[in-house]
Amino acid sequence: MNIGIGFLGFGHIGSGVWGVLNANADTIAHKEGTTFTLRRALVRDLRKPRAAALPDGVLTDRFEDILGDPGISVVAEFMGGVDPACGYIEALLRAGKSVVTANKEVIAQRWHRLETAAREGGAGLYYEASVGGGIPVIRTITDSLQANDIDSVMGIINGTTNHILTRMSEQGRSYDAALREAQEDGLAEPDPRNDVEGFDAAYKLSILSSLAFHARVPVDRVYREGITRMTPEVIRYGQELGYAVKLLAIGKKRGTSIEARVHPTFIPENHPLASVRGAYNAVFLHGNAVGNLMLYGRGAGDLPTASAIVSDCIVAAKAKDHRYNSFRNEARPAPEVAFDGNWQTKYFLNLEVIDRPGVLAAIAGILARRQVSVASLIQKGYGTATVPLIFVTHQTYEQSMLQAVREIESLPDIIEIKALIRVEDEDSA
Ligand code: HSE
């Protein structure tokens, strides 16, 4: 079976996909009985130099050349962003062409529209590469874990931030220095906000937790906090308590209540996710039959991403019937689930305070009034006018903790709230 395909975009990822289609053509033909012919690739600028050469006549700057080509049945999109990608994908799906995409932003924000277009066109929408790059996490959830009720997903699903936090943790780098090094190594974008502020992880968590919990988790219901305020000092204090810091994307489901949040998190240093270093990604989930499960691999890069995209192209090309999500996939949250912004977890609170009698008692009084129970307390330093205090709490409610911190901040002897980091240590394998 020979499949005519089209590309939307032909940059770094597109070149990787082209490379894998060529280098592994015999393997794919042998295993799947499928060969691919790239018929058209849409680019903005036909004269721009490309990392890989395409056969003459393949590059085009007219979307209609792909939409109107009856020989193209599968289109791979690597443009990124919502517009114009969304309009192109919708038009292709309505025209009956299946679309494979690595674009987490368009899936997270316009999934409902794209899925409606796919159903109406009888086409398939495939997005394995949108979460975790080369890690086969989407199909693992949809095609291998259907027998489970999944109640928790925790992921390191942004390689840039994991690389920066690894450098800060292992080499004591400041945030700014670790970011600069990541940019010099080509691992962080010149404008890093999408990664370091947690947007990228929030898009991915929206997709992952929707599939895991079988209910659309809109991206605007994902709490998001980035890594820009992390300091090597706070990471070191966490390490002294046996914790590693990760930008975790956490989804949990209890009954009909769902929480979804992306924020720096302390996890026990023996948790499987703590060993995920550098730009690697991993997803740790719990299903009621399978128990704990972790998938680990490269979350970005041309070849790992191409691995997922080309696999999706094969699935799309061979599907007799495309599968659509059976949960209510709408922009607004489904009425059958509630989104819980008042989750329960433990907290690490680092304060800089004036060292004099009564300060601790005042803080402890506020925590007690807010029903926040302290598990451990450390005072660092000695003989200086101000000292660091570190509290680790028992499980408590987010809103109680935030309220307590606001009240503590207004006490006269508090110099600074240096960090409030959530601690997840219930789910270690
Ligand atoms: N920017 C992402 C990351 C890769 O740093 O993991 C693309 O999803």
Side-chain angles (χ1 to χ4, degrees):
M1 174 169 56
N2 182 263
I3 305 296
I5 59 169
F7 285 176
L8 296 183
F10 191 62
H12 184 57
I13 302 296
S15 304
V17 171
W18 175 241
V20 169
L21 283 172
N22 285 306
N24 294 357
D26 290 346
T27 306
I28 295 167
H30 184 62
K31 285 187 190 165
E32 300 287 339
T34 305
T35 55
F36 289 95
T37 302
L38 176 61
R39 291 175 63 90
R40 302 313 289 263
L42 178 71
V43 292
R44 258 197 304 260
D45 181 357
L46 290 170
R47 282 162 307 185
K48 187 175 162 187
R50 306 276 155 192
L54 291 179
D56 284 348
V58 167
L59 285 182
T60 176
D61 56 4
R62 285 168 34 92
F63 172 62
E64 294 70 29
D65 288 344
I66 294 181
L67 183 65
D69 182 345
I72 294 178
S73 56
V74 177
V75 178
E77 182 265 322
F78 344 99
M79 305 172 77
V82 171
D83 293 312
C86 181
Y88 289 164
I89 297 172
E90 256 186 300
L92 291 163
L93 292 167
R94 281 192 206 287
K97 297 183 194 303
S98 291
V99 174
V100 170
T101 180
N103 186 338
K104 60 238 135 197
E105 191 173 347
V106 80
I107 296 290
Q109 301 212 28
R110 302 281 170 81
W111 201 350
H112 47 290
R113 277 177 52 176
L114 300 181
E115 198 162 81
T116 301
R119 279 180 203 270
E120 287 176 8
L125 175 64
Y126 295 85
Y127 42 88
E128 180 64 73
S130 67
V131 181
I135 303 175
V137 63
I138 301 286
R139 241 190 308 281
T140 298
I141 292 176
T142 58
D143 290 22
S144 304
L145 293 173
Q146 306 94 316
N148 287 264
D149 198 358
I150 298 175
D151 57 16
S152 134
V153 281
M154 293 209 293
I156 296 170
I157 48 180
N158 182 270
T160 305
T161 47
N162 203 50
H163 178 82
I164 292 171
L165 290 177
T166 303
R167 281 279 169 94
M168 292 177 71
S169 302
E170 295 182 0
Q171 294 167 18
R173 294 278 196 279
S174 68
Y175 167 75
D176 288 335
L179 169 61
R180 204 172 41 250
E181 286 170 11
Q183 286 170 321
E184 283 162 8
D185 294 345
L187 285 163
E189 303 279 344
D191 178 354
R193 279 174 298 179
N194 196 40
D195 293 314
V196 298
E197 299 287 2
F199 291 102
D200 177 78
Y203 296 139
K204 292 168 176 170
L205 180 63
S206 159
I207 300 169
L208 206 54
S209 50
S210 298
L211 295 169
F213 305 146
H214 206 66
R216 175 76 183 267
V217 178
V219 71
D220 62 8
R221 299 302 168 110
V222 178
Y223 172 84
R224 180 187 51 78
E225 192 180 306
I227 63 163
T228 54
R229 282 174 297 170
M230 284 307 302
T231 64
E233 185 184 44
V234 166
I235 293 175
R236 201 174 58 249
Y237 290 155
Q239 287 168 333
E240 288 173 18
L241 293 164
Y243 295 129
V245 70
K246 297 289 171 192
L247 181 72
L248 280 198
I250 300 170
K252 293 189 184 178
K253 185 176 171 220
R254 287 186 199 85
T256 56
S257 172
I258 291 176
E259 67 193 55
R261 45 195 170 100
V262 170
H263 51 66
T265 312
F266 277 135
I267 51 175
E269 60 194 358
N270 63 357
H271 190 288
L273 285 172
S275 64
V276 178
R277 301 175 56 252
Y280 273 88
N281 281 199
V283 176
F284 185 87
L285 58 80
H286 181 265
N288 63 348
V290 73
N292 287 336
L293 177 75
M294 185 159 109
L295 300 166
Y296 168 88
R298 289 196 184 275
D302 55 348
L303 294 183
T305 307
S307 163
I309 290 173
V310 174
S311 297
D312 268 357
C313 288
I314 296 167
V315 175
K318 297 185 77 176
K320 294 207 170 42
D321 287 307
H322 298 290
R323 250 187 38 190
Y324 308 108
N325 289 314
S326 53
F327 56 81
R328 191 196 300 249
N329 195 352
E330 294 171 356
R332 288 195 307 179
E336 59 268 22
V337 291
F339 289 92
D340 186 0
N342 195 20
W343 56 77
Q344 290 185 67
T345 190
K346 300 179 183 178
Y347 295 82
F348 165 105
L349 174 64
N350 177 202
L351 312 170
E352 186 73 17
V353 304
I354 294 175
D355 194 8
R356 67 166 154 240
V359 175
L360 194 54
I363 298 167
I366 291 173
L367 292 172
R369 277 198 299 284
R370 293 286 161 198
Q371 300 293 309
V372 176
S373 172
V374 175
S376 60
L377 163 65
I378 301 168
Q379 178 170 330
K380 311 288 285 186
Y382 180 72
T384 47
T386 72
V387 289
L389 280 184
I390 294 155
F391 294 84
V392 179
T393 74
H394 286 297
Q395 192 100 348
T396 190
Y397 286 100
E398 170 84 2
Q399 298 307 327
S400 306
M401 191 66 199
L402 295 183
Q403 186 59 37
V405 170
R406 276 193 289 272
E407 290 172 23
I408 290 168
E409 201 169 16
S410 66
L411 289 173
D413 293 328
I414 304 298
I415 305 297
E416 191 186 352
I417 309 282
K418 298 198 103 173
L420 178 66
I421 313 275
R422 296 162 186 93
V423 178
E424 292 286 324
D425 64 4
E426 295 298 295
D427 300 316
S428 306

